[in-house]
Amino acid sequence: MVKNICCIGAGYVGGPTMTVMAYKCPEIKITVVDLNQKRIEAWNSDNEHMIPVFEPGLAEIVMKVRGRNLFFSTNVETAIDQADMIFMSVNTPTKEYGKGKGMAADLKYIELCARQIGAVSKNDKIVVEKSTLPVRTAEAIHSILDNTGSGVKFQILSNPEFLAEGTAINDLLNPDRVLIGGQDSPEGHAAAEELTAIYAHWIPREKIIHTNVWSSELSKLTANAFLAQRISSINSLSALCEKTEADVTEISRAIGADSRIGNKFLTASVGFGGSCFQKDVLNLVYICKTLGLEEVAEYWDWVIKMNDYQKHRFADNIITTLYNTVSGKKIAFLGWAFKKNTNDTRETPAMYVADILMNDLANISVYDPKVSEQQIFTDIAHVNGKTDEDNQKQLSVVADPYEACRNAHAIAILTEWDMFKNLDWKRIHDSMMKPAFVFDGRNLLDAEKMKELGFYYKGIGK
Ligand code: UDX
Ligand code: UDX
């Protein structure tokens, strides 16, 4: 019976996942550790606005279980030493150097974790891969852990996370399925059963799927690739709709009513963002290339190319519509996060759209209800490589949506925050340069109402 769990990585996955696990398993002590001391201090804050991950419902549960059976700490070694089961939930970004640059997953943090677990452990442990990993990573972890010379035995399980940000708590409490990949051996089965017993505290056993380790690892990449592919497919058609009389929302509704297709993930947008889709598809492409499967690699690569095309198309459309130049014009950005109800900005389309418009010398004024000014400057610097001082000449972040829009030539909606629907759009129209343009990258607003108010309104795929 597992009594003591350690999770390495207190990020968007590790934090919420362990919070829900601690909430549902009061008899298990869970310690979430991270190298980043500031992050751990924030998780330990008594002010719920300081919790580093914004997720609806998360802070309330943290306040209930923290100090009861959930702990956040930077003392990685002690937590590893005391644990029966260790979750690895560190980040696996796309590699930015050397072999596989721009495509392969960078596994240096995973390797570091494995080495640390190997060095510290004095008794047998189950190690669970939570981070998205390329197929056969478990093998690499195995080879590190099997060669520590300490005699300690490790079982490696793959247990990929399927939560989506913004709905993480609900996804964790009511998942469609839990996937556990383990070795086909008595010890492997026993380890998988230990983990199953934990989830069975709140998830019906028939929803817990067991596979071998490789299938589990590949299923995570496949699930994200299929979801991303649906968005790229509908986005490709949004371009066609814009050239014809068809309306992409009507198409989504019509095809989504076919139960074989289903109605989810068919919303055309400025493009998908987030830490997972691009990284995981690129990773799949890289694996296929490495294995000589050129056609398969190329097939999936188009999901990414279509997403890049969509972001460019959106930005180009703004420039073309504003009489072929945005030089010196003020463009208001409503939203910066990659989707609503999160403060996460990784791979957000907003930063790429901003970069294109800034190259055309636009002045951008950003309002987002949850993303900090500092984060927005970090993001844009990541794309264009410029200093904050240089970027400040063209980009400003404001705390009020009306201020962002005042005297703007155009508004671009980049995130589908509910609050944008309820703004006083008449007041905004009155305060803008005329004609007042709105480019709705999320098809969030009521087109007819906006046109009645006098806006030139352009949605996606309309
Ligand atoms: C990460 C991966 O990106 C994703 O592929 C996987 O499915 C789950 O884990 P996320 O939790 O969103 O997702 O990443 P992030 O918010 O960056 O959190 C990772 C944390 O690990 C960071 O707080 C980082 O400081 C910490 N970390 C990283 C360590 O504690 N030790 C390390 O060696 C490396
Ligand atoms: C995704 C997967 O859904 C989740 O299972 C996995 O564990 C991690 O990656 P996440 O990136 O948090 O989750 O959010 P998701 O809701 O999938 O949205 C990803 C991006 O696609 C967002 O930018 C979103 O706005 C966009 N999107 C989503 C669309 O453009 N259209 C859609 O129909 C759905």
Side-chain angles (χ1 to χ4, degrees), residues 9 11-13 34-35 39 89-92 109 131-132 279 346:
Y12 283 90
V13 170
D34 203 295
L35 291 176
R39 213 164 200 183
S89 202
V90 295
N91 42 335
T92 50
Y109 301 126
S131 307
T132 308
K279 168 175 71 96
R346 287 176 289 179

Side-chain angles (χ1 to χ4, degrees), residues 393-462:
K393 292 176 191 150
Q394 277 183 274
L395 188 137
S396 59
V397 179
V398 295
D400 170 46
Y402 297 100
E403 193 186 332
C405 299
R406 193 181 313 126
N407 293 327
H409 292 76
I411 297 171
I413 298 188
L414 274 311
T415 314
E416 70 283 20
W417 287 102
D418 289 332
M419 70 168 303
F420 297 155
K421 286 194 266 196
N422 304 323
L423 294 175
D424 182 346
W425 283 101
K426 178 164 184 326
R427 175 180 161 198
I428 290 178
H429 184 268
D430 290 346
S431 75
M432 284 177 69
M433 306 296 285
K434 305 295 177 326
F437 294 93
V438 172
F439 298 88
D440 189 346
R442 297 289 180 171
N443 288 341
L444 181 72
L445 305 174
D446 181 334
E448 291 314 313
K449 215 176 102 193
M450 295 300 281
K451 285 176 191 161
E452 268 168 33
L453 286 172
F455 284 102
Y456 166 96
Y457 175 85
K458 183 91 185 84
I460 297 276
K462 310 263 178 190

Side-chain angles (χ1 to χ4, degrees), residues 249-384:
T249 309
E250 292 180 351
I251 293 186
S252 294
R253 203 184 328 134
I255 65 168
D258 185 325
S259 60
R260 293 168 303 175
I261 296 174
N263 61 10
K264 293 186 181 149
F265 267 72
L266 285 179
T267 307
S269 68
V270 54
F272 59 74
S275 72
C276 281
F277 282 175
Q278 171 157 314
K279 168 175 71 96
D280 290 353
V281 177
L282 285 174
N283 200 347
L284 185 64
V285 169
Y286 181 71
I287 292 170
C288 293
K289 278 204 172 148
T290 314
L291 299 173
L293 303 171
E294 282 300 326
E295 285 79 1
V296 184
E298 211 172 303
Y299 176 74
W300 288 107
D301 200 28
W302 269 102
V303 171
I304 301 297
K305 285 187 181 146
M306 190 53 63
N307 198 46
D308 289 340
Y309 167 71
Q310 189 75 349
K311 291 178 270 188
H312 269 97
R313 223 166 59 73
F314 182 77
D316 288 348
N317 190 23
I318 296 179
I319 299 173
T320 316
T321 311
L322 294 186
Y323 318 109
N324 259 333
T325 176
V326 286
S327 173
K329 293 178 183 168
K330 177 175 174 183
I331 315 285
F333 269 35
L334 293 186
W336 188 267
F338 82 98
K339 62 189 277 199
K340 72 172 177 180
N341 293 340
T342 178
N343 60 347
D344 194 352
T345 62
R346 287 176 289 179
E347 290 302 329
T348 180
M351 62 182 164
Y352 296 104
V353 174
D355 178 49
I356 297 169
L357 297 178
M358 285 164 78
N359 275 332
D360 211 78
L361 307 180
N363 295 320
I364 293 181
S365 181
V366 185
Y367 169 76
D368 187 288
K370 287 287 171 197
V371 181
S372 69
E373 175 169 2
Q374 187 197 345
Q375 185 60 50
I376 292 172
F377 277 102
T378 306
D379 292 337
I380 195 68
H382 178 73
V383 183
N384 67 15

Side-chain angles (χ1 to χ4, degrees), residues 10-11 23 59 67 88-89 101 133 178 180 213 227 235-237 243 257 259 268 274 290 307 317 326 342 381 402 462:
Y23 176 56
M88 290 209 240
S89 202
K101 179 179 171 184
L133 299 165
V178 167
I180 298 176
V213 181
L227 291 169
N235 281 344
S236 75
L237 290 166
K243 298 271 182 209
S259 60
T290 314
N307 198 46
N317 190 23
V326 286
T342 178
Y402 297 100
K462 310 263 178 190

